[in-house]
Amino acid sequence: MTTLYGKNQLNAASAEGIISAFGNVVKIIPLMTGNKSETEYHQALELIEYLIDHDELDNPLFEPLAAKIAEYESSAPEFAELNKALDGIPGGIAVLRTIMDQLGLKAADLESELGSKSNVSNILNGRRALTVHHIKALSERFHIPAEMFIYG
């Protein structure tokens, strides 16, 4: 790179070119422009799903996009009720409820991992904690790390 002052310094034209190029790229990335619309949110979700599906977790876009999605989800009015409800639920139970919702599972569908219907109900309502046995069974069933149910 040609420099104005020395070997390792950028000249003004090069710096302005980089800044301009970056600005143009940011304008086309959902949620990066300051537009916090639901449409932008869904576009950002689609883009991050694409990165995940194509094993692009090391892509430099992944982390800032995930952060913008998390920021949107924590502040958007349509998530306010959900966020309030999740604040009072232990992390592992929140993960389990999310999985149940995504897969369309009912409490009865978890009896083989958590025990009787009443036990499942007590766990989902926060009256009982997940045991090591429960966590291991859930981890195996859903093929996710046990830590998701511990630290969630």
Side-chain angles (χ1 to χ4, degrees), residues 39-90:
T39 300
E40 289 264 326
Y41 168 70
H42 287 287
Q43 289 172 345
L45 286 177
E46 288 176 18
L47 183 53
I48 206 145
E49 285 176 15
Y50 178 90
L51 291 171
I52 292 168
D53 290 345
H54 290 85
D55 201 24
E56 292 281 338
L57 301 181
D58 291 334
N59 186 299
L61 178 59
F62 186 83
E63 285 190 35
L65 188 58
K68 286 294 187 179
I69 290 169
E71 180 182 310
Y72 180 89
E73 289 174 347
S74 68
S75 63
E78 61 264 29
F79 289 101
E81 189 175 320
L82 174 65
N83 290 333
K84 185 177 178 183
L86 289 177
D87 282 344
I89 299 173

Side-chain angles (χ1 to χ4, degrees), residues 63-143:
E63 285 190 35
L65 188 58
K68 286 294 187 179
I69 290 169
E71 180 182 310
Y72 180 89
E73 289 174 347
S74 68
S75 63
E78 61 264 29
F79 289 101
E81 189 175 320
L82 174 65
N83 290 333
K84 185 177 178 183
L86 289 177
D87 282 344
I89 299 173
I93 302 303
V95 168
L96 181 57
R97 285 178 174 241
T98 301
I99 291 169
M100 290 174 66
D101 184 54
Q102 290 176 345
L103 298 177
L105 299 175
K106 305 289 182 218
D109 298 322
L110 298 173
E111 287 182 29
S112 62
E113 290 81 19
L114 303 179
S116 68
K117 286 183 186 179
S118 64
N119 197 47
V120 173
S121 177
N122 284 332
I123 289 170
L124 292 174
N125 291 312
R127 291 187 292 269
R128 292 202 60 195
L130 289 169
T131 67
V132 172
H133 175 75
H134 296 147
I135 291 169
K136 183 177 180 195
L138 291 167
S139 175
E140 289 173 5
R141 175 175 181 176
F142 298 116
H143 306 288

